[in-house]
Amino acid sequence: MIRKLLVANRGEIARRVFATCRALGVETVAVHSDADAAEPFVGEADQAVRLPGATPAETYLRIEKILDAARRSGADAVHPGYGFLAENAEFAAAVTDAGLTWVGPPAKVIAAMGDKLAAKAMLAEAGVPMLPSWTDTDGISDFPVLVKASAGGGGRGMRIVRDAAGLAEAVASARREAAAAFGDGTVFIERYVECGRHVEVQIFGDAHGRVVALGDRECSIQRRHQKIVEEAPAVVPEQVRTALHEAAVAAGRAVDYLGAGTVEFLLAPGGEFFFLEMNTRLQVEHPVTELCTGLDLVGLQLLVAEGEPLPATLPVSTGHAIEVRLCAEDAGAGWRPATGTLHRFTVPAVAAEFGGLTRPGLRLDSGVVAGSVVGVHYDSMLAKLIAWGRTRAEATRLLSTALARAELHGVTTNRDLLVRVLRSPAFAAVEIDTGFLDRHAEVFAALLPTDRLPLAALAAALAAAAQRRATAPVLAGLPSGWRNVPAVPQVARFAVTGGDEIEVRYRLDRAGRLAEWSSTSAASDSADGPEAPEPAVEPSVALVAATPDRVVLDVDGVRCAYRVHRVGSAVFVDGPDGAASLAELPRLPLPTAEVAAGSLLAPLPGAVTRVHVQVGQRVAAGEPLLTLEAMKLEHPVLAPTDGVVAELPVPAGGQVQTGAVLAVIDSSPAPGDLEPSNPEEDPR
């Protein structure tokens, strides 16, 4: 029986495993990098062992460090979580050789399924349908194809290639990304099915030869081949579901599977399906299966690892569960990862965390709390929010409403995109596949309409005025800015996303009522210099109440409440229409150093892995200049315009911080681009 369990992982999955351990009376050990020392999972463990270093390669991917942590803490079992070494056969074998209990399938099973090409060949013999695949680029003429990492998943090391011209670079890039994420750069190539759906089956095996299917999941809505919306059960005909379960169980039996595993399939539009891979670990999306079955899958993992048989009778899946992955990224800017301090992290109506949900309701599995620092070393996922309802529509409504009302301050997230996906007619009609986001550009729009941003800015200004009056040493009862003879209104200026600015003017009367207000917006740094402010068409607004953290406005006869949270000059406003992140600008700004015209700035901290051009080289708009790596993903930096590379201050291998100059492009026309003068024309 397991007495003390070390979790060789971090963040949300470590907290998830610890929650089950607490319920079962199992002691827990966390391992952590220097970057994670203050994270919640470290404090929740009974013991914690530091792994010196910050990056995954220095810490969570070092087998000898983790085994040493187990030895020093007295742990007698290891749970790998997911990611990092979770599907590393060498790690599983090392844990077993050290006399510890490994919570997962045996090393030989991980090795067999970890070599995805060998796994495809083995499972094809067991009758599992397969797509054609290749190990090199020779002889491939049937496009599109998909380049895939052999050693891992989660979208790392995957590239869609639609013609032969881009194949070599896609393979090279996928190898680099896979090596950074999994320590193994091996890739293979597979036929790509357009409009395919990603459907998977949760299997479990025990040491007594039993392999069962515990339900299926729909995971088709993805970005960069990584799932962001998952649901159970998949919406498929019952005959297809039965065939999927039979194929998944056959795959498990073919390798004598033990523990939790997932068999993933690609479902073609006609109903035909093909094996994608078997994940020999617990999946990120396992909570939707837990909510539909009432099972604790981590508890089952520990039960099986102790040699016990699976329960003779397993529950039937009921209702519908949907999970979204809340990630620190800017979906509208090419999924650019975001960093910073999470000043507030509040999701309303959450009934349970990491399990124990009284259905119907909301469950939150989070790796962060308010005050957590989101860095560049690890995956961008912050949390998972999961809803269970009696029907798919009920779960969708519950989840989308809670997500829209969440207060997520300080770090850019994909929240707005997730809400728009859940509320889209296509999602409601189950018109989904892996290309969903490519077809529905409308889901990338912010929840807060542009014409409602002035109201959020007004709420921020009125909350600031209330704060000043609350702290005024004298005459605190007078309205902010009140004068016996009205002169000019008060002015507040804010920077908003995209480099734009908004200015709010308002005046309060002697009774503290909003006597007048207006707003103007302008681009703060457009290519041709600041634009002239454009006056907005303002709705009729009356001030109902204002405190430093809450403002109530009557807008055209409709009362609207705005929650306001200030951190330094940053102001976060959550209202009925959506959320706004503002930065209050000083009335008398200090002079700052100017960057050279044509400078490309680092959008986040990271490492420059490759430089594709040289100083003096002429480039075209859209041409890659260099590659920045952050959060285990590669981010190409492209030329914004035609021009000549004037500066490349950061060499390959260099580390940069947000705002650092990566390159300078001189876009002035070359001599040959100028129109020749006509000597016959009179210059006068």
Side-chain angles (χ1 to χ4, degrees):
M1 182 170 287
I2 295 172
R3 180 183 58 82
K4 182 183 290 188
L5 180 71
L6 181 147
V7 177
N9 219 292
R10 63 180 299 278
E12 167 264 331
I13 183 55
R15 299 184 75 193
R16 166 68 190 90
V17 176
F18 293 160
T20 289
C21 288
R22 284 194 296 271
L24 297 177
V26 177
E27 296 178 60
T28 55
V29 180
V31 291
H32 67 88
S33 67
D34 292 337
D36 279 340
E39 288 305 296
F41 78 94
V42 179
E44 290 179 5
D46 295 313
Q47 294 177 300
V49 180
R50 172 179 174 250
L51 305 177
T55 68
E58 296 171 321
T59 55
Y60 300 106
L61 290 172
R62 296 289 294 275
I63 294 175
E64 72 281 3
K65 288 187 177 183
I66 293 174
L67 292 179
D68 180 64
R71 179 187 57 78
R72 286 193 283 155
S73 63
D76 59 351
V78 173
H79 191 299
Y82 39 67
F84 297 134
L85 296 170
E87 294 180 281
N88 186 299
E90 181 186 353
F91 181 46
V95 169
T96 304
D97 291 344
L100 306 174
T101 298
W102 168 251
V103 182
K108 65 177 183 179
V109 174
I110 297 175
M113 294 297 101
D115 185 341
K116 290 184 170 55
L117 283 170
K120 286 165 67 74
M122 178 190 303
L123 298 184
E125 293 183 5
V128 182
M130 298 289 166
L131 284 167
S133 58
W134 303 267
T135 56
D136 56 49
T137 59
D138 294 338
I140 298 178
S141 58
D142 185 14
F143 290 88
V145 297
L146 183 64
V147 182
K148 300 177 68 174
S150 180
R156 276 29 173 238
M158 296 182 71
R159 302 286 189 277
I160 297 175
V161 184
R162 299 192 177 277
D163 54 59
L167 185 56
E169 172 54 28
V171 169
S173 178
R175 282 174 175 159
R176 288 191 301 270
E177 194 168 277
F182 312 116
D184 184 345
T186 304
V187 300
F188 65 98
I189 304 163
E190 198 170 66
R191 194 183 87 203
Y192 180 70
V193 176
E194 299 280 7
C195 299
R197 288 169 59 185
H198 187 127
V199 179
E200 61 190 32
V201 179
Q202 176 72 61
I203 65 169
F204 241 95
D206 62 22
H208 304 272
R210 188 176 176 208
V211 178
V212 298
L214 295 182
D216 45 81
R217 301 185 283 254
E218 173 78 54
C219 306
S220 296
I221 297 180
Q222 305 176 359
R223 61 98 167 103
R224 287 185 166 181
H225 312 293
Q226 187 176 57
K227 310 158 193 173
I228 57 172
V229 180
E230 301 114 339
E231 53 185 309
V235 184
V236 296
E238 284 306 310
Q239 65 271 24
V240 173
R241 190 186 321 279
T242 299
L244 285 165
H245 288 203
E246 290 175 350
V249 170
R253 287 174 177 162
V255 293
D256 297 324
Y257 200 81
L258 180 69
T262 303
V263 187
E264 303 193 349
F265 298 95
L266 184 66
L267 182 64
E272 188 179 14
F273 61 85
F274 306 95
F275 173 82
L276 286 175
E277 62 186 10
M278 180 189 289
N279 288 291
T280 52
R281 55 175 169 81
L282 198 65
Q283 290 279 84
V284 176
E285 57 272 21
H286 75 274
V288 293
T289 298
E290 291 186 323
L291 294 189
C292 287
T293 62
L295 293 168
D296 180 340
L297 296 189
V298 174
L300 283 184
Q301 283 187 297
L302 300 182
L303 181 79
V304 168
E306 292 175 336
E308 297 295 323
L310 289 166
T313 303
L314 293 166
V316 176
S317 178
T318 60
H320 203 93
I322 306 176
E323 170 184 296
V324 292
R325 301 189 191 190
L326 188 66
C327 299
E329 61 190 12
D330 188 340
W335 308 104
R336 184 175 67 205
T339 58
T341 299
L342 198 59
H343 299 300
R344 180 171 291 175
F345 184 76
T346 304
V347 182
V350 169
E353 295 188 22
F354 305 107
L357 176 65
T358 301
R359 302 176 292 175
L362 286 168
R363 165 176 160 179
L364 178 67
D365 286 17
S366 172
V368 297
V369 294
S372 291
V373 177
V374 180
V376 299
H377 297 300
Y378 309 111
D379 187 273
S380 63
M381 190 177 79
L382 302 175
K384 305 177 307 195
L385 186 62
I386 315 102
W388 184 92
R390 287 175 288 268
T391 65
R392 185 173 186 265
E394 182 181 291
T396 300
R397 181 179 62 190
L398 181 62
L399 182 57
S400 63
T401 301
L403 197 58
R405 292 175 177 171
E407 297 182 17
L408 312 170
H409 300 169
V411 178
T412 301
T413 73
N414 63 340
R415 180 263 303 277
D416 287 11
L417 173 125
L418 295 172
V419 173
R420 289 203 177 274
V421 167
L422 293 171
R423 291 178 175 175
S424 69
F427 183 83
V430 202
E431 296 171 355
I432 54 178
D433 57 59
T434 56
F436 182 92
L437 295 180
D438 296 329
R439 293 194 309 277
H440 294 280
E442 69 276 8
V443 301
F444 288 86
L447 280 180
L448 183 67
T450 303
D451 62 354
R452 305 295 279 187
L453 179 61
L455 292 172
L458 175 62
L462 293 173
Q467 177 67 41
R468 289 192 294 271
R469 300 319 300 159
T471 58
V474 295
L475 301 177
L478 288 179
S480 177
W482 184 81
R483 299 290 186 273
N484 280 323
V485 179
V488 296
Q490 296 192 76
V491 178
R493 293 172 54 246
F494 301 94
V496 296
T497 304
D500 295 343
E501 295 180 6
I502 186 167
E503 181 177 279
V504 175
R505 295 174 175 267
Y506 66 96
R507 183 172 63 83
L508 303 178
D509 64 16
R510 186 168 188 169
R513 295 183 294 262
L514 186 64
E516 62 177 278
W517 85 286
S518 63
S519 70
T520 54
S521 60
S524 61
D525 57 352
S526 65
D528 299 320
E531 297 178 357
E534 297 181 1
V537 178
E538 313 294 3
S540 174
V541 177
L543 175 60
V544 178
T547 66
D549 57 7
R550 189 172 186 268
V551 173
V552 181
L553 302 175
D554 185 300
V555 182
D556 289 333
V558 179
R559 185 167 291 194
C560 303
Y562 295 86
R563 304 181 301 279
V564 182
H565 177 211
R566 177 182 291 270
V567 182
S569 62
V571 188
F572 306 99
V573 182
D574 295 280
D577 301 306
S581 296
L582 309 171
E584 187 169 11
L585 299 173
R587 295 188 179 186
L588 300 173
L590 296 173
T592 58
E594 292 187 359
V595 297
S599 295
L600 295 176
L601 308 181
L604 73 167
V608 174
T609 56
R610 289 187 300 156
V611 178
H612 306 285
V613 295
Q614 297 178 339
V615 173
Q617 180 176 334
R618 177 161 286 276
V619 295
E623 187 173 341
L625 304 177
L626 50 88
T627 299
L628 187 68
E629 183 182 297
M631 289 186 172
K632 300 194 287 185
L633 293 175
E634 290 189 340
H635 308 277
V637 177
L638 310 178
T641 183
D642 295 349
V644 175
V645 180
E647 295 181 34
L648 289 169
V650 185
Q655 296 283 334
V656 296
Q657 296 298 316
T658 302
V661 176
L662 298 174
V664 178
I665 304 298
D666 181 359
S667 59
S668 57
D673 296 335
L674 299 175
E675 295 183 3
S677 60
N678 188 344
E680 296 181 0
E681 290 184 357
D682 186 343
R684 295 173 294 176

